[in-house]
Amino acid sequence: MANSPSNPTCPAPMKATSNGAFQHENPLDYALPLLIIQIILVVVFTRFLALICKPLRQPRVVAEVIGGILLGPSAIGRSQKFLDTIFPKKSLTVLETLANIGLLFFLFLVGLELDMRSIRKTGPKALGIACAGITFPFALGIGTSFAFRATISKGVDTTPFLVFMGVALSITAFPVLARILAELKLLTTDVGRIAMSAAAVNDVAAWILLALAIALSGSETSPLISLWVLLCGAAFIIFAVVAIKPLLGLMAKRSPEGEPVKEIYICITLTLVLACSFITDTIGIHALFGAFVIGIVVPKDGPFAEVLTEKIEDLVTGLFLPLYFAASGLKTNVATISGGTSWGLLVLVIFTACFGKIVGTVVVSLLFKVPFREALALGFLMNTKGLVELIVLNIGKDRKVLNDQSFAICVLMALFTTFITTPIVMAVYKPARSGAPYKHKTIQRKVHDTELRVLACFHSTRHIPTLINLIESSRGTRKKGKLCIYAMHLMELSERPSAITMVHKARRNGLPFWNKKQNEDHRVIAFQAYGQLSSVNVRPMTAISAFSNIHEDICTSAHQKRAALILLPFHKHQRFDGTMESLGHAFHTMNGLVLSHAPCSVGIWVDRGLGGTSQVQASDVSYNVVVAFFGGRDDREALAYGMRMAEHPGILLTVIKFVAPVGKTLTFGAKLVGVTANKDRKVIKVADGNNHSEDKEEDDQFWYEFLSVSAKSEGSLVYEERLVESKEDVISVLGEKNRSNLILVGRMPPVAPLVERSDCPELGPVGSYLASSEFSTHASIIVFQQYDPSTDIYPLVMEVSDFSNMPDTSVHDTES
C-alpha cells in the first residue's frame, strides 16, 4: 500500500523468461516470449499489407506505416483487451528499445548509401532544386505551425514547434525515393539523377535541421544549453571525420576485392556504430545521429561497405525496422482527429506539404530549363516522405513538442504524400525511349557476311555452360567480330538497401555489379574468359528490375545494342528424373511479354544440357543439330540460324522438310490461331497446294538458297523431305530425332498443334510438344519467332531517324 500512492503509474518490471505453461505461467506475462509474439505479429501483418500494396506499386514503407497505425489505438488497438494482452504498457520499453536498436543500424545503412563525394559533385541544378525543396516547405511549415498553435497545440514552446513543423514538411526520404525511382526505371534518366542528387542534399540538410530542433527542444529553457548541444554535435562530426574515418579507411584498405572481410573488422565497425550512438545521445541530439554519421564516413570503395550492408540488412529491415513502425503506430491515434478544426488542419498540412515541395521544385526546375513534365515529376518525387519523417515526428512527440492530435495529423500527411508519389509520377512522366533505327533485326538476311548480334538472357548459373556451348556452336568459322553476344543476367529488384546500392554503383562506374560478391565472380569470368579464348565478342550485362516489367529492360537493351536475336531461357528446367519443373510464373509471363514487344527476332531455349554441365572446348564440339521445317517466316528464321551453325566444323546439321500430300496442307483440317502483339487472336490462313501465297513463295526461295549452300557443304549439311499425312506422322518423324543434341523450330509454323493442351502456348504448335518430357529428355530446343514489322505496333522504343546514336559501351556493359 505504501508503494502504490507514491508511483501508481509505474508497473512492476517484467521478468525475462517464464517457466512454461506446465508451471501454470502465462508466457505473455514475461518479456522475452511477449517480445517474440510482438515481432512475429508485426512482421507477418506488415508483410501481408505489403503484398496488398504491391499491385499499387507502393514501396514497403507505406505498408509498414499503415500496419503500425492499424495495430495501434486507431484500429485493432481500439480493443483494450488486445492492447493489454499483446502490447501492454509495461512491455513497450523493451519493444521501443529493440526497435531503436534496429533503427540505429538502419540509419547506419542509409549513411552507407549516401556518398558524400556525389553530394560534393552535385551540379548547380540539383543543388538549386534541393534548396528550393527545403526552403519553400520549411517556410510554409512555420506558417502552418501558427495555425496549429492557435487551435490544437496551445501552450507549446514556440521555437522548437516551429522548427519541428518546418522539418516535418520539408524532408525528402532518400531511401524511399531511391526505391521508387528504381521501381519506375527512372534512375537512369535525367529526372532520376537530379532527384537522387537533390534528395541526398536534402537528407543531409534535414538531419542538420533536426539536430537544431532537438537541441532547441530540451527541457532546459536556457539558449546557452542549446548552443552547447549544437557545438558538441559539430565537434562530434569533426571527430568522426578526423579520427574515425581514417580507422575505417585502414580496415577497408585491408579488405581487398575477392578476399573475405575479416570478422574482427565487422565487429569493430558495428561496435563503433553503437559507441557513437551513445556519444550523440549523451550530447543530447539523439542516438540516431551517431549511427548515421558513421555510415556516411565509411569508405564506399571496395567490398567493405557492401559486406557490412549484406551482413546486417536482412535482420534489420526484415525484423527490427517493422517494430519501429509498430511502436510509432501505437502512439498514433487517428480518432483524436475529430471535429471540423482537426480535419481542416489535416487538409491544410497535406496541402502546404505538397504545395511547398511541388511548387518550389517545379519553379526552380523551370528556371533551370527543365521541361515542364519532368519538372512536375521531380516535384512529386521530392515530395516522398518515409522513415525519416516518422523519426522526426516521434522525437517531437517524445520531447512533448507535438501532442497526440498534431502527431496523428503529421503521420497521415507523411503517409498520403508517399502514397500518391508513384501513381502520379507514372501518370505525369513516362520517359519516351527513343533510338536510331537499324537494319538487321532478323537472322535471315540478304547479306550473310554481316555481324550477328545476340542478346542472351539468363537468370541462373545453371544456364551458363549451355549458353557458352551454344555460342561456341553458333560462331561458325568467321573472323573475329562476326558474332557479338551480350550476356544479360536478369536479377529481381528487391527491397534490400544493397539492391539500390547496386543500381547506384552501376550508374556511377559502369562495371557489371554482379561481380561485387566473390561467389558470383565466376559468372562474369566464365563469359570474359570464353570471349578472350574464342573469336566472339562477349559482353556481360545486368538488368535489375521487378520481374513484372523486366521485359522493358530486355527489349530496350536489345534495341540499344542493335541485336538481331533475343535468346530467353524457357521458364521450366529439367529435373534429374526427366520431368519439367517450372521456375515460376514471373518468368513465364516475362517470356510472353518479350515475344509481344521485341524489336527483333526472339528465341526461347529449352535447356536439356547442351554439351553436358560443363563448357566444351572448341575442338571438342560435336553436335547433331536438327531443323524441323514446315514453312512460314518463323521456320525460315530457325533454318537461317541452323545454316549459320553448320559453318562450325563440329556441327552436323540435318534439315527435315515436312511435305503434305498434293491438295492438302500440314494443318490436317485444324483451325490455326495466332496470338498477335496486342493479344488479339487471329485465324491464320494457310496456303494449300493450289494457291501460292506470298509466304509460300518466300519459303520456296529460301529453300532454294539453302539447297545451293547445302551442295557446297561437304557433308556437314544433310536434308530430307518427308511426306506426312497426319499429325501422328509428324510426331513419329520428330521422334526419330529425339536423341539429337539440339532441335531448331519456328514458333508459329502452319501445322496442326501436336499436343491437345499445353500450358506454354508461347512455344507454338510444335515447340510445346518438343518441350514436353514425353518427347525427349536429351535434346535441347530453340523455338524462334522472326521479327515481323507489321505486328510491331506497340514498340517500347520509338525509332527516330535523327537520333544521335550512343557509342557502344565497353566490355563492362551494365543495364538496368
Side-chain angles (χ1 to χ4, degrees), residues 436-558:
Y438 66 102
K439 189 176 172 187
H440 298 303
K441 298 190 174 189
T442 59
I443 304 162
Q444 182 194 352
R445 50 186 72 164
K446 289 184 172 69
V447 184
H448 295 295
D449 209 31
T450 48
E451 182 183 49
L452 176 65
R453 291 177 166 226
V454 179
L455 180 72
C457 304
F458 66 97
H459 36 73
S460 158
T461 44
R462 72 160 72 88
H463 297 136
I464 293 176
T466 308
L467 194 51
I468 289 180
N469 292 339
L470 183 63
I471 296 166
E472 171 57 37
S473 313
S474 308
R475 69 183 178 87
T477 51
R478 296 159 191 252
K479 296 186 187 72
K480 189 171 179 69
K482 291 300 180 187
L483 178 62
C484 183
I485 303 285
Y486 295 94
M488 181 183 261
H489 182 206
L490 307 178
M491 291 173 71
E492 186 168 22
L493 179 70
S494 68
E495 291 275 357
R496 290 173 166 163
S498 58
I500 305 296
T501 311
M502 284 155 64
V503 180
H504 292 326
K505 282 251 167 81
R507 299 290 155 274
R508 210 162 45 235
N509 57 24
L511 289 167
F513 37 81
W514 54 25
N515 64 357
K516 68 185 194 68
K517 297 183 199 165
Q518 67 196 69
N519 64 341
E520 289 188 347
D521 253 348
H522 56 274
R523 292 178 182 168
V524 173
I525 290 167
F527 285 113
Q528 289 181 342
Y530 169 70
Q532 284 160 2
L533 291 171
S534 68
S535 58
V536 181
N537 287 329
V538 182
R539 301 180 180 189
M541 300 163 66
T542 298
I544 297 190
S545 200
F547 279 150
S548 56
N549 55 20
I550 201 166
H551 68 281
E552 294 177 15
D553 299 310
I554 296 169
C555 294
T556 48
S557 297

Side-chain angles (χ1 to χ4, degrees), residues 371-384:
F372 179 71
R373 291 187 82 149
E374 291 186 17
L376 199 58
L378 265 173
F380 279 102
L381 285 166
M382 296 301 289
N383 198 27
T384 308

Side-chain angles (χ1 to χ4, degrees), residues 130-440:
C131 292
I134 294 170
T135 48
F136 263 62
F138 194 85
L140 287 174
I142 289 174
T144 312
S145 63
F146 285 112
F148 269 76
R149 291 188 70 241
T151 49
I152 61 170
S153 297
K154 290 174 180 165
V156 295
D157 204 358
T158 312
T159 315
F161 187 68
L162 296 185
V163 179
F164 262 104
M165 286 302 290
V167 173
L169 266 66
S170 60
I171 273 177
T172 296
F174 177 79
V176 183
L177 178 68
R179 168 86 209 146
I180 289 172
L181 287 169
E183 176 83 23
L184 296 178
K185 301 188 191 308
L186 296 180
L187 271 172
T188 46
T189 61
D190 287 344
V191 166
R193 289 192 192 97
I194 294 169
M196 284 307 289
S197 301
V201 174
N202 189 311
D203 218 25
V204 173
W207 281 104
I208 294 166
L209 288 170
L210 179 56
L212 176 70
I214 293 172
L216 292 170
S217 67
S219 51
E220 287 279 348
T221 49
S222 163
L224 206 60
I225 299 288
S226 299
L227 184 65
W228 269 115
V229 169
L230 281 175
L231 287 174
C232 289
F236 166 74
I237 292 171
I238 293 165
F239 171 73
V241 173
V242 173
I244 298 174
K245 192 175 181 181
L247 173 66
L248 291 166
L250 187 70
M251 292 193 288
K253 208 174 277 181
R254 292 191 175 182
S255 307
E257 199 80 59
E259 296 285 324
V261 175
K262 286 183 183 169
E263 182 263 347
I264 187 72
Y265 293 168
I266 304 287
C267 181
I268 290 171
T269 310
L270 298 185
T271 310
L272 269 174
V273 171
L274 294 173
C276 291
S277 300
F278 174 75
I279 292 168
T280 49
D281 195 73
T282 308
I283 291 170
I285 51 168
H286 211 285
L288 303 175
F289 278 91
F292 183 65
V293 169
I294 293 298
I296 285 180
V297 299
V298 169
K300 306 299 185 285
D301 300 325
F304 188 61
E306 288 155 7
V307 170
L308 277 170
T309 304
E310 282 160 23
K311 293 280 182 200
I312 60 174
E313 66 179 346
D314 288 345
L315 188 67
V316 168
T317 57
L319 282 187
F320 292 156
L321 204 56
L323 291 184
Y324 188 77
F325 292 106
S328 173
L330 288 169
K331 298 178 198 168
T332 312
N333 191 354
V334 178
T336 56
I337 308 173
S338 56
T341 310
S342 295
W343 286 106
L345 283 173
L346 176 62
V347 173
L348 175 71
V349 167
I350 289 174
F351 175 75
T352 48
C354 295
F355 184 81
K357 270 282 183 202
I358 294 162
V359 172
T361 306
V362 169
V363 169
V364 176
S365 301
L366 291 173
L367 290 177
F368 279 108
K369 310 238 178 343
V370 175
F372 179 71
R373 291 187 82 149
E374 291 186 17
L376 199 58
L378 265 173
F380 279 102
L381 285 166
M382 296 301 289
N383 198 27
T384 308
K385 303 280 188 275
L387 180 68
V388 183
E389 171 86 0
L390 272 192
I391 294 167
V392 173
L393 298 176
N394 274 292
I395 293 172
K397 190 168 190 309
D398 293 343
R399 299 276 173 127
K400 306 280 189 294
V401 175
L402 300 174
N403 61 17
D404 286 357
Q405 212 170 339
S406 49
F407 178 74
I409 286 172
C410 290
V411 168
L412 289 185
M413 175 271 292
L415 189 61
F416 178 79
T417 52
T418 309
F419 195 88
I420 62 170
T421 301
T422 308
I424 289 183
V425 172
M426 283 174 73
V428 167
Y429 181 66
K430 183 76 177 165
R433 293 184 171 95
S434 49
Y438 66 102
K439 189 176 172 187
H440 298 303

Side-chain angles (χ1 to χ4, degrees), residues 656-711:
I656 304 171
K657 186 180 186 185
F658 290 83
V659 183
V662 179
K664 288 191 174 180
T665 66
L666 292 169
T667 56
F668 309 119
K671 189 168 82 169
L672 295 192
V673 175
V675 184
T676 60
N678 57 345
K679 299 282 191 293
D680 287 344
R681 293 177 169 271
K682 286 187 179 172
V683 177
I684 300 171
K685 291 186 175 65
V686 179
D688 58 26
N690 302 325
N691 60 357
H692 285 271
S693 70
E694 193 180 320
D695 230 13
K696 182 88 169 61
E697 284 172 21
E698 286 188 32
D699 283 350
D700 292 343
Q701 188 181 339
F702 192 58
W703 186 253
Y704 176 74
E705 197 179 307
F706 163 71
L707 292 178
S708 62
V709 171
S710 172

Side-chain angles (χ1 to χ4, degrees), residues 476-477 623-627 639 642-655 706 709-719:
T477 51
Y623 299 145
N624 287 323
V625 179
V626 174
V627 177
L639 182 54
M643 286 161 68
R644 187 173 184 104
M645 290 185 81
E647 293 176 16
H648 194 290
I651 300 289
L652 173 63
L653 181 73
T654 306
V655 181
F706 163 71
V709 171
S710 172
K712 304 171 194 163
S713 67
E714 299 174 3
S716 65
L717 264 171
V718 180
Y719 74 91

